[in-house]
Amino acid sequence: MLPTTASMRRPRILALLALVVALTLGVGSVLVAPPAQAATWSLTASGAGTTTAATGKTLSVRYLKAGKPVRGATVTLQRKKGSSWVKVRTVRTGTKGRASTTVKPTATTSYRFRTSHATSGTLTVLVVPVRFAISGSGSGHGVGLAQWGAYQQARSGRTAAQILGYYYPGATVSTANDPRTTLDVQVLGPPSDSRTSTVLAVGSGAWRLKDGANTVVASGDAASTVTVGVTSAGVTAKVTKGGTTIRSVTARSSLTFEWSGTRYYQPTGTKAVATVAGAQGTYRNGRLVVTKRSNRPNVVNEVIINTEYLYGLDEMPSGWGATSNRGAAALQAQAVAARNYAIVEKVKGLKSTCGCHVYDDTRSQHYTGWRKQGGSWGSTWVAAVDATVQAQAGTVTVLRDADGGFAETPYFASTGSAGGRRGTATNAEVFGTTALPYLKHVQDTYSANAPGNPYLTWSDSVTQAKARSIFGLSSVRSITVTSRWSSGQVKTLTATSATGKKASRTKTADGWRTTLGVRGSWVGALSGRPS
């Protein structure tokens, strides 16, 4: 019996099913077999940090394939611009798969390295200013009489007494007996001068040299000079004429140089003017006493306060007293303030550092002697000083405090404007000393209105390194004025680092003036500069 069609199909179907199952099993074994391991690429970058626009920052990268360096590969450095990355330059890797390049961004910028196979992490270079520009106004510490303001007040018709009353409110213009006492003024020596010898001479007339026992040890004229030096035993001298040493003086505890035409030597003789090599002044009056201080020659001029000293004080332009300038009252007010200062220092006694009552520079008062008195308009200044002396009564004009004592009379060049304020400051705000009732803040529009005032505005700067030192930060991105004293002078500055850390510092007004190294602490703003 022959099989039917259906019975004939069944074995074939079964065979086909078996073949499909076999093929399926075979394909399945191929799909689950582990694939060949793909190569791994990596770019490792370094160099993020803080820099300035003037100083480059080195960015480095290492390129690896399956953990091994890729040599001679081209790697693209990119920077972030908005939401996109743009090409900066390309670098080629060395034998160890390394490459580096220097960038100089002018502002904080993000970078990365990239190839067709890998992209590095982001490197952010934080940029801080190289320096901070300072805009300011005014000059000096800011306490007491403002010289340019006094000048404008005088031009406006105010008297010396009115000017003094304005800038020292509560102090009283009075008189004191003129004792013709001397003041010892250091004109050369430590701590500001480091020279180990100096030369004394006169332009005309005669001179003599005396030791501590008042014995004349040498003498000469304008053709000879005296070189003074120091040894372990004291002060020595060598007299030279025509290039030849004609007299040597062994060590003495002190040597005194006197010249003709003075009250000390030949009063009716030739009016000589003495010079000291390295000193800022020349000296028609007084006598020079040389001692040893800190193994250096220390030269002090002994002058009478109310004439010889004040005549040589160069603190205000003598020409202000010209009739056309109408500033004589300002010069007279200056003479009174300077006299008070000298008297107060005289009462304090000699300073151990210099064997003097005052220095000849801004540490005390600016004394140049004959250069002031005998210079341009010197006679106008002398007349202003004399106007504060009552010769017949034997008295001089002074400023007294509420207890009748001599008032302290600091003064300075000009007030400035900052924070919307313009005026003087209290001594407590400026120096940190106990407040005195007559050294207080007063408004001062006079300085700003004085013709020719050079301190209405000025600019200066402080470096990034200095800023880091002031605020104790690793970097400084910005500095702002966060509080002011009554005068408008800066009180507190706040700095922000590149990472956002803040630090504030509060100082006296004069503390900021010296710390920042500026003319005055009426600071308007500090702005970062790339170079």
Side-chain angles (χ1 to χ4, degrees):
M1 182 174 175
L2 294 174
T4 62
T5 302
S7 62
M8 292 176 64
R9 290 177 181 165
R10 188 176 297 113
R12 292 178 182 176
I13 293 172
L14 292 174
L16 289 172
L17 289 173
L19 178 61
V20 169
V21 170
L23 289 173
T24 302
L25 290 173
V27 171
S29 65
V30 171
L31 291 176
V32 297
Q37 185 172 354
T40 56
W41 304 78
S42 67
L43 285 169
T44 303
S46 61
T50 304
T51 188
T52 65
T55 304
K57 189 72 174 175
T58 299
L59 305 181
S60 300
V61 65
R62 192 178 190 199
Y63 194 22
L64 301 177
K65 176 183 178 182
K68 296 181 178 180
V70 180
R71 307 173 184 176
T74 299
V75 181
T76 300
L77 174 68
Q78 298 177 321
R79 65 177 175 85
K80 192 72 173 290
K81 184 179 181 180
S83 59
S84 304
W85 291 91
V86 297
K87 177 181 176 181
V88 177
R89 65 179 71 97
T90 59
V91 295
R92 289 186 69 80
T93 58
T95 56
K96 295 184 179 182
R98 299 182 186 277
S100 62
T101 185
T102 300
V103 294
K104 283 189 174 182
T106 58
T108 296
T109 305
S110 294
Y111 296 91
R112 71 180 186 183
F113 290 96
R114 183 175 173 80
T115 68
S116 58
H117 297 291
T119 302
S120 75
T122 299
L123 302 173
T124 300
V125 177
L126 304 172
V127 178
V128 295
V130 172
R131 61 182 58 248
F132 297 87
I134 305 174
S135 61
S137 60
S139 179
H141 50 66
V143 182
L145 180 143
Q147 292 167 319
W148 283 89
Y151 177 42
Q152 181 59 19
Q153 288 199 35
R155 288 171 51 83
S156 302
R158 294 174 68 85
T159 66
Q162 289 173 323
I163 293 170
L164 291 166
Y166 185 85
Y167 287 114
Y168 303 104
T172 303
V173 176
S174 183
T175 60
N177 292 330
D178 182 1
R180 294 184 62 81
T181 185
T182 58
L183 189 73
D184 293 355
V185 186
Q186 187 202 56
V187 297
L188 188 77
S192 64
D193 191 90
S194 61
R195 69 190 66 225
T196 56
S197 66
T198 187
V199 178
L200 313 179
V202 293
S204 61
W207 59 263
R208 68 182 179 185
L209 194 66
K210 300 164 67 176
D211 64 13
N214 209 35
T215 301
V216 176
V217 294
S219 60
D221 55 21
S224 55
T225 61
V226 180
T227 300
V228 292
V230 294
T231 67
S232 59
V235 186
T236 63
K238 181 175 65 175
V239 181
T240 304
K241 187 172 185 178
T244 302
T245 299
I246 61 174
R247 179 85 168 90
S248 292
V249 180
T250 56
R252 303 289 200 276
S253 60
S254 68
L255 290 171
T256 300
F257 187 78
E258 299 174 343
W259 54 97
S260 59
T262 65
R263 57 194 172 89
Y264 294 109
Y265 183 49
Q266 298 182 6
T268 60
T270 301
K271 295 184 182 300
V273 175
T275 59
V276 180
Q280 66 174 351
T282 59
Y283 313 102
R284 167 69 187 84
N285 301 304
R287 63 181 177 182
L288 301 170
V289 179
V290 186
T291 57
K292 186 176 77 169
R293 283 281 192 288
S294 302
N295 293 317
R296 285 171 276 173
N298 186 71
V299 186
V300 168
N301 193 10
E302 295 182 348
V303 285
I304 296 174
I305 288 180
N306 289 312
T307 53
E308 297 173 348
Y309 176 65
L310 291 183
Y311 288 165
L313 200 63
D314 193 7
E315 283 286 358
M316 190 176 277
S318 300
W320 282 0
T323 302
S324 58
N325 290 327
R326 309 193 308 276
L331 268 62
Q332 294 165 22
Q334 174 68 77
V336 174
R339 176 182 292 119
N340 261 61
Y341 182 93
I343 292 173
V344 169
E345 292 303 304
K346 170 78 174 185
V347 171
K348 289 179 181 178
L350 296 173
K351 305 178 191 298
S352 61
T353 53
C354 62
C356 68
H357 298 111
V358 295
Y359 298 103
D360 68 347
D361 55 30
T362 53
R363 289 171 294 175
S364 299
Q365 300 189 113
H366 194 224
Y367 172 76
T368 61
W370 187 248
R371 282 186 178 162
K372 173 69 171 184
Q373 182 181 348
S376 177
W377 294 100
S379 60
T380 304
W381 166 243
V382 169
V385 174
D386 289 345
T388 67
V389 176
Q390 299 79 44
Q392 291 183 340
T395 58
V396 292
T397 305
V398 295
L399 205 61
R400 295 192 181 277
D401 60 22
D403 297 324
F406 292 105
E408 294 185 25
T409 52
Y411 53 88
F412 63 102
S414 174
T415 56
S417 59
R421 286 168 280 184
R422 181 184 291 277
T424 68
T426 72
N427 62 293
E429 292 175 345
V430 172
F431 304 124
T433 53
T434 302
L436 294 173
Y438 52 85
L439 296 179
K440 60 179 66 175
H441 165 66
V442 296
Q443 290 295 319
D444 181 39
T445 58
Y446 295 102
S447 289
N449 294 326
N453 185 346
Y455 306 115
L456 296 181
T457 61
W458 49 258
S459 60
D460 212 316
S461 66
V462 62
T463 64
Q464 171 70 210
K466 181 69 173 179
R468 292 197 302 265
S469 173
I470 292 171
F471 295 100
L473 296 172
S474 59
S475 66
V476 177
R477 183 182 67 203
S478 64
I479 305 173
T480 57
V481 180
T482 46
S483 69
R484 297 184 182 276
W485 296 107
S486 62
S487 57
Q489 293 167 293
V490 63
K491 179 180 180 180
T492 304
L493 292 178
T494 299
T496 304
S497 74
T499 58
K501 183 178 179 180
K502 293 183 180 296
S504 295
R505 297 289 183 268
T506 297
K507 295 178 181 288
T508 61
D510 213 44
W512 278 123
R513 183 171 70 102
T514 55
T515 297
L516 297 175
V518 293
R519 294 170 180 82
S521 55
W522 292 271
V523 172
L526 297 93
S527 56
R529 290 289 184 266
S531 62

